[in-house]
């Protein structure tokens, strides 16, 4: 699913499937009262006017990187600047061997990503629209093809291209014309897209769009905290094995079973000569936790 072609974002501007509070059930007005996001465990702070905050977590969370979308005035819509920043961040992360898991979240209360910045789009010359939409697709595809596990922590509205962004992640995904049918089937995907229906967290989970539905907390970051818990579960695993496992799953989902099994075998072959594989075997023999180094 994550390796699929990106969705038709232009079409989604007109009739788009929408997800309301996809990782958290709205339990009443108080569920949307939110304070500042917790900042413990960050290696450094960034300027508050940055549209994308890239944080490499430290201490017990070392190896987890958080991409925080921070466009409050635009409801986290995908502007030229935000897409540029996302592209730059993803390019840096894809080759960083120290990165083990990436979380994409919002730092704006009540919204994950509201899709394309239509105010900015309205000011574009018609000749600019096509290349810009292609750039959005390219960035979303780059996120889908990141070699490490990715988690979308959706603590609010995810609309149009925002759902495509979430769908590009391995966990907490929802929405779009290409990835949505692969997640929930063609018939239901058409129904949601044609009707532009709003789904709450329970409905989204029922149709298979998301993995967990959480009661929102007072800080408004319940999905992010769950994502962080999941990321911590991934940290002890072998980095090489995780990368080839994701590759095998992504590529295998796009082909028939026989070809998929061949892809799996080829991916496993990449781990045979690694130090991590030998460390895993030795740790099992010595009955101790393995100490993987990604080598």
């Amino acid at each position: 699913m994550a390796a699929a072609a990106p969705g038709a974002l232009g079409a989604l501007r007109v009739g788009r499937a929408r997800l309301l509070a996809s990782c958290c059930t709205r339990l009443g007005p108080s569920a949307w009262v939110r304070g500042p996001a917790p900042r413990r465990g960050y290696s450094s702070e960034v300027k508050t006017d940055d549209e994308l905050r890239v944080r490499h977590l430290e201490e017990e969370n070392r190896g987890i990187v958080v991409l925080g979308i921070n466009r409050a005035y635009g409801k986290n819509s995908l502007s030229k600047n935000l897409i540029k920043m996302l592209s730059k961040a993803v390019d840096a992360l894809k080759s960083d061997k120290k990165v083990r898991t990436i979380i994409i979240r919002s730092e704006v209360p009540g919204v994950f990503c509201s899709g394309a910045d239509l105010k900015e789009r309205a000011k574009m010359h018609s000749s600019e629209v096509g290349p810009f939409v292609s750039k959005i697709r390219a960035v979303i595809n780059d996120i889908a093809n990141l070699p490490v596990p990715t988690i979308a922590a959706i603590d609010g509205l995810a609309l149009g291209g925002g759902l495509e962004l979430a769908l590009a992640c391995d966990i907490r995904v929802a929405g779009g014309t290409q990835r949505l049918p692969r997640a929930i089937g063609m018939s239901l995907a058409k129904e949601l897209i044609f009707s532009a229906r709003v789904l709450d967290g329970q409905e989204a989970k029922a149709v298979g769009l998301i993995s967990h539905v959480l009661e929102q907390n007072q800080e408004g970051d319940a999905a992010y905290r769950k994502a962080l818990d999941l990321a911590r579960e991934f940290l002890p695993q072998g980095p090489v094995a995780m990368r080839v496992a994701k590759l095998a799953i992504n590529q295998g989902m796009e082909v028939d079973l026989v070809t998929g099994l061949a892809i799996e075998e080829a991916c496993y072959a990449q781990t045979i000569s690694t130090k991590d594989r030998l460390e895993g075997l030795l740790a099992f023999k010595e009955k101790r936790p393995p100490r993987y180094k990604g080598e």
Side-chain angles (χ1 to χ4, degrees), residues 32-76:
W32 296 107
V33 178
R34 310 206 176 154
R39 295 184 176 182
R40 296 185 297 275
Y42 297 139
S43 58
S44 61
E45 291 296 332
V46 293
K47 296 180 180 179
T48 56
D49 59 351
D50 285 347
E51 294 188 345
L52 183 71
R53 295 175 173 178
V54 182
R55 295 189 173 104
H56 293 254
L57 306 192
E58 296 292 351
E59 301 172 355
E60 71 275 12
N61 297 322
R62 187 181 299 275
I64 301 173
V65 177
V66 180
L67 302 182
I69 306 174
N70 187 44
R71 292 195 74 224
Y73 49 89
K75 295 184 179 179
N76 282 355

Side-chain angles (χ1 to χ4, degrees), residues 18 34 49 67 92 108 158 164 215-216 218 223 243 257 267:
R18 295 180 292 173
R34 310 206 176 154
D49 59 351
L67 302 182
V108 177
E164 282 289 286
E215 181 176 336
Q216 188 57 278
Q218 289 298 315
R243 289 170 186 265
L257 178 59
C267 287

Side-chain angles (χ1 to χ4, degrees), residues 9 21 26 38 54 118 123 136 146 159 178 214 236 263:
L9 297 184
R26 185 172 182 178
V54 182
L118 298 184
K123 298 177 182 178
I136 294 177
L146 281 166
L159 309 177
Q178 296 303 308
L214 309 169
I263 292 173

Side-chain angles (χ1 to χ4, degrees), residues 9-281:
L9 297 184
L12 289 174
R13 288 185 293 133
V14 179
R16 57 197 179 190
R18 295 180 292 173
L19 179 63
L20 173 60
S22 63
C23 276
C24 302
T25 307
R26 185 172 182 178
L27 301 178
S30 61
W32 296 107
V33 178
R34 310 206 176 154
R39 295 184 176 182
R40 296 185 297 275
Y42 297 139
S43 58
S44 61
E45 291 296 332
V46 293
K47 296 180 180 179
T48 56
D49 59 351
D50 285 347
E51 294 188 345
L52 183 71
R53 295 175 173 178
V54 182
R55 295 189 173 104
H56 293 254
L57 306 192
E58 296 292 351
E59 301 172 355
E60 71 275 12
N61 297 322
R62 187 181 299 275
I64 301 173
V65 177
V66 180
L67 302 182
I69 306 174
N70 187 44
R71 292 195 74 224
Y73 49 89
K75 295 184 179 179
N76 282 355
S77 56
L78 300 173
S79 65
K80 287 182 178 180
N81 186 55
L82 178 56
I83 289 298
K84 179 180 179 180
M85 295 180 74
L86 272 171
S87 179
K88 181 179 179 180
V90 171
D91 282 344
L93 292 172
K94 68 174 64 172
S95 58
D96 189 342
K97 298 297 184 181
K98 296 180 180 179
V99 176
R100 305 287 291 277
T101 300
I102 297 168
I103 298 173
I104 299 179
R105 67 168 300 195
S106 168
E107 300 200 2
V108 177
V111 61
F112 174 72
C113 177
S114 60
D117 187 335
L118 298 184
K119 291 183 179 179
E120 182 182 76
R121 184 77 60 86
K123 298 177 182 178
M124 289 184 187
H125 188 273
S126 57
S127 62
E128 298 179 86
V129 176
F132 178 59
V133 171
S134 295
K135 180 63 176 177
I136 294 177
R137 288 172 174 164
V139 171
I140 289 176
N141 238 18
D142 284 344
I143 291 172
N145 292 324
L146 281 166
V148 298
T150 53
I151 307 172
I154 309 173
D155 278 304
L157 290 167
L159 309 177
L163 292 184
E164 282 289 286
L165 178 61
L167 260 182
C169 296
D170 299 313
I171 301 173
R172 305 296 174 279
V173 293
T177 64
Q178 296 303 308
R179 293 185 174 91
L180 183 60
R182 288 167 169 81
I184 64 173
M186 184 184 298
S187 179
L188 183 56
K190 287 179 178 179
E191 179 181 334
L192 295 181
I193 291 172
F194 295 166
S195 65
R197 185 182 304 157
V198 175
L199 300 180
D200 63 20
Q202 294 289 353
E203 292 170 325
K205 187 175 189 300
V207 299
L209 290 179
I210 60 174
S211 301
H212 299 273
V213 179
L214 309 169
E215 181 176 336
Q216 188 57 278
N217 56 31
Q218 289 298 315
E219 292 78 14
D221 64 353
Y224 170 65
R225 295 190 186 193
K226 179 62 177 180
L228 196 56
D229 287 341
L230 290 170
R232 290 190 186 110
E233 288 187 54
F234 301 160
L235 286 179
Q237 313 310 320
V240 176
M242 292 282 281
R243 289 170 186 265
V244 297
K246 177 171 177 176
L247 182 63
I249 294 169
N250 287 355
Q251 293 188 354
M253 287 295 293
E254 301 303 316
V255 297
D256 61 85
L257 178 59
V258 173
T259 306
L261 291 172
I263 292 173
E264 179 185 70
E265 183 177 1
C267 287
Y268 174 70
Q270 296 180 38
T271 71
I272 293 176
S273 61
T274 63
K275 294 180 181 179
D276 276 2
R277 176 176 173 272
L278 298 177
E279 164 61 15
L281 293 172

